[in-house]
């Protein structure tokens, strides 16, 4: 969920999608039993530039490879639009996307759909017209939120975003990334929806820095966070309730090209065993292993897949 900057398309994205070789959908039942349903499938599984995406790309690549594919991952591209461009131009075989991002950023819809299933169905239909297939989604909802230190929340006696609007302007201090500050589903709309003070102070920080800055409470009281981030609990932050349901749903799912799915339909069956296990709570724990413990996303993915009996 990063700001489009086409000039930043990473030089590391050079592996073109290759679908040569014997089609996995035509594999014999004996081969399928051996986990060779995807024999012949090669390509790159992309990722946006934050830990959750790194983990999801590794989970995807590893589980597909366990069924005969030969995929790699690329986690070097900066910006949502750049990842989407790499995908649409065939440099990525697939990547995990979020319903809210596709609906608002790529399909130019300014009004989010409140119901999770209705949102997913609408995004799936919209992207299908572009030859993009959305596989069954995970339960996780990586939506935007604002968080504050637990002790500060008690001091100010606040629980919701509406409560923030009632605070003196001097307490309405926010840390956010530059993309959020201009998105339709970001700061401009949030400020208007909740009637936040026109004198609210905003500090622009990198995504990773926001969590620690919020915990320290010097640059801001409220930090822009993602609800699946493991640092929320690790740093004892409290998420403010979005009581007016301003933020869209950001349900995650693997997106691939429709023609690729037609050639390798087993991808959907394989991922259908993976995605349902990726709840918001599970993703928070996996993300914490990367952002709090410093573990490698490749190992996090491997350990989780093995623990779930998926590889």
């Amino acid at each position: 969920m990063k700001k489009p900057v086409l000039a930043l398309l990473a030089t590391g994205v050079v592996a073109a999608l290759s679908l040569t070789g014997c089609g996995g959908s035509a594999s014999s039942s004996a081969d399928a039993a051996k986990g060779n349903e995807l024999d012949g499938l090669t390509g790159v599984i992309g990722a946006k530039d934050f830990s959750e995406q790194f983990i999801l790309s590794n989970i995807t690549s590893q589980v597909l490879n366990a069924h005969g594919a030969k995929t790699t991952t690329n986690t070097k591209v900066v910006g949502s639009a750049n990842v989407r461009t790499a995908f649409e131009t065939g440099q990525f075989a697939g990547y995990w996307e979020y319903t809210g991002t596709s609906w608002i950023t790529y399909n130019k819809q300014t009004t989010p759909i409140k119901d999770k299933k209705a949102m997913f169905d609408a995004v799936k239909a919209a992207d299908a017209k572009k030859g993009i297939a959305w596989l069954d989604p995970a339960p996780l909802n990586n939506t935007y939120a604002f968080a504050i230190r637990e002790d500060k929340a008690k001091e100010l006696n606040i629980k919701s975003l509406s409560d923030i609007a009632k605070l003196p302007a001097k307490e309405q201090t926010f840390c956010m990334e530059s993309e959020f500050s201009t998105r339709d589903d970001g700061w401009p709309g949030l400020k208007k929806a909740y009637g936040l003070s026109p004198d609210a102070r905003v500090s622009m920080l990198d995504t990773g820095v926001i969590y620690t800055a919020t915990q320290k409470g010097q640059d801001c009281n409220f930090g822009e966070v993602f609800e699946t981030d493991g640092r929320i609990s690790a740093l004892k932050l409290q998420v403010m309730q979005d009581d007016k349901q301003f933020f869209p749903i950001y349900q995650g799912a693997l997106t691939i090209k429709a023609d690729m799915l037609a050639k390798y339909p087993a991808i959907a069956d394989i991922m259908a065993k993976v995605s349902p296990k990726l709840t918001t709570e599970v993703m928070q724990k996996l993300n914490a292993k990367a952002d709090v413990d410093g573990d490698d996303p490749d190992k996090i993915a491997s350990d989780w897949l093995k623990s779930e009996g998926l590889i």
Side-chain angles (χ1 to χ4, degrees), residues 1 4 80 84 97-114 119 122-123 126-127 130 134 143-144 179 182-186 245-250:
M1 294 189 284
S80 291
R84 175 84 167 201
E97 188 52 272
Y98 303 97
T99 51
T101 300
S102 180
W103 186 243
I104 293 172
T105 303
Y106 307 138
N107 288 291
K108 309 301 180 184
Q109 301 294 323
T110 57
T111 303
I113 300 171
K114 302 298 184 182
M119 172 68 117
V123 170
D127 273 347
K130 304 172 185 178
W134 282 69
T143 189
Y144 284 115
E179 178 181 347
T182 59
R183 287 176 64 117
D184 291 335
D185 54 342
Q245 293 185 296
F246 168 78
F247 290 120
I249 298 166
Y250 288 91

Side-chain angles (χ1 to χ4, degrees), residues 280-308:
T280 296
E281 293 72 24
V282 166
M283 207 66 239
Q284 284 177 342
K285 293 177 180 178
L286 295 179
N287 288 336
K289 290 181 181 295
D291 294 322
V292 179
D293 301 335
D295 292 349
D296 186 88
D298 178 75
K299 184 178 185 301
I300 296 170
S302 177
D303 289 347
W304 182 77
L305 286 167
K306 289 175 181 176
S307 72
E308 294 295 331

Side-chain angles (χ1 to χ4, degrees), residues 24 27-39 62-69 266 270 273 310-311:
S27 297
S28 68
S29 58
D31 283 343
K34 296 176 183 177
N36 293 329
E37 307 98 309
L38 301 182
D39 184 35
Q62 290 181 30
V63 77
L64 295 182
N65 291 352
H67 289 267
I270 293 165
K273 298 177 182 178
L310 295 168
I311 61 173

Side-chain angles (χ1 to χ4, degrees), residues 6-7 21 36 43 47 62-63 70 123 157 163 186 195 199 210-211 216-217 226 235 244-245 250 279 303:
L6 293 178
N36 293 329
Q62 290 181 30
V63 77
K70 293 182 179 179
V123 170
N157 192 29
D163 291 338
D199 297 321
I210 291 174
Y211 292 84
K216 291 178 181 177
F226 300 127
L235 296 175
K244 293 186 178 181
Q245 293 185 296
Y250 288 91
T279 64
D303 289 347

Side-chain angles (χ1 to χ4, degrees), residues 254-281:
L254 178 64
T255 59
I256 60 177
K257 289 294 184 64
D259 56 359
M260 177 178 168
L261 181 60
K263 189 170 185 178
Y264 297 95
I267 295 174
D269 297 329
I270 293 165
M271 293 304 299
K273 298 177 182 178
V274 177
S275 295
K277 298 177 181 292
L278 293 167
T279 64
T280 296
E281 293 72 24

